[in-house]
Amino acid sequence: MESQTKILIIYTGGTIGMVKDAKTGVLKPFQFENLMKMIPSLAMLNYQIDSHCFDPLIDSSNMDPVYWAGLVDIIEKKYEGYDGFVVLHGSDTMSYTASALSFMLQNLNKPVIFTGSQLPLGMVRSDGRENLVTAIEIAAATEDETPLVPEVCIYFENQLFRGNRTHKFNAENFEAFRSPNYPVLADAGVYIKYNRNAIHKPNFKKLKANKKLDTNIAILKLFPGISEKVVSSILHIPDLKAVIMESYGAGNAPDSDWFVNLIADAIEKGIIVLNLSQCQGGSVMMGKYETSIKLLDIGVVGAYDMTTEAAVAKLMYLLGNSSDKREIEKKLQKPIAGELTITN
Ligand code: ASP
């Protein structure tokens, strides 16, 4: 007899499990047992579904690298005992957490599917029921006894995405996430149609959980009129090791002397400057326009088509595991978990 599929749901918090406080009308989390009661149809899946709840449950605005390490720890400890994992997480920072886990869970050969909802399960029109049920189905899906999606994903409103390619782009629509630079991994309609060519293949190596992260990074978002004192104060943050410079278009930035000199001084001091475009779609191509040639010359590193969310997580992960600037810069420009596409 085939053994029963085992899925672990890790409930971190977020809208999916919230109820309205009768007195204040404010949304607050409720306990997981209630969440299971809301979806009696889960029993029809005939899987063994266990749960692990964060205590306290958190709104994902409070997510941070300590919680990421906690999540990795739970998955590492439970890895052998389960066929797949579903992480219930607030949508606000879901892309950051999914990105972080894609780097921290090396040699992942089982599905880790993040989901949540825009409306609490307790509400009649909640999107949470479908999101949760399908996420569980995807986490359990196999072919030739091998998981179909052995990677960290986000499932939301009928679409499965590679987690480190996503971005939350809508605060109201049920369709809250986009993956502007990588195809959807599966579409869930009457059938769940997997885009097999886009999904990681399992490597059958042993899972290596890496919980070392370094948060000494900053984001410098450019805008017309940004002043020298703003740029300078960011680049002079004590202990700063890396800056994500959110530039324009294909990686362009002002070519005024004060700006270029500040960036060059920071790089000389040992700070990594990662050039990432404010455009959601497309890739950084330094050198395409005159306004980015100088950046290339002074040692700015291009992020290709990475999302800000993936870049934040990747930098924390790389800085946590090495102090060799060159090595980190090299790794930033190569995919570790399918987070970027090399275009040139
Ligand atoms: N504020 C909530 C959170 O991110 C929103 C959600 O769950 O989607 O935790």
Side-chain angles (χ1 to χ4, degrees), residues 123-134:
M123 290 173 92
V124 180
R125 290 181 53 249
S126 176
D127 50 331
R129 268 176 294 270
E130 194 282 325
N131 283 349
L132 177 56
V133 172
T134 308

Side-chain angles (χ1 to χ4, degrees), residues 244-264:
I244 296 167
M245 180 179 75
E246 284 199 1
S247 60
Y248 308 123
N252 306 313
D255 56 5
S256 42
D257 287 346
W258 70 263
F259 181 81
V260 176
N261 290 341
L262 275 175
I263 300 282

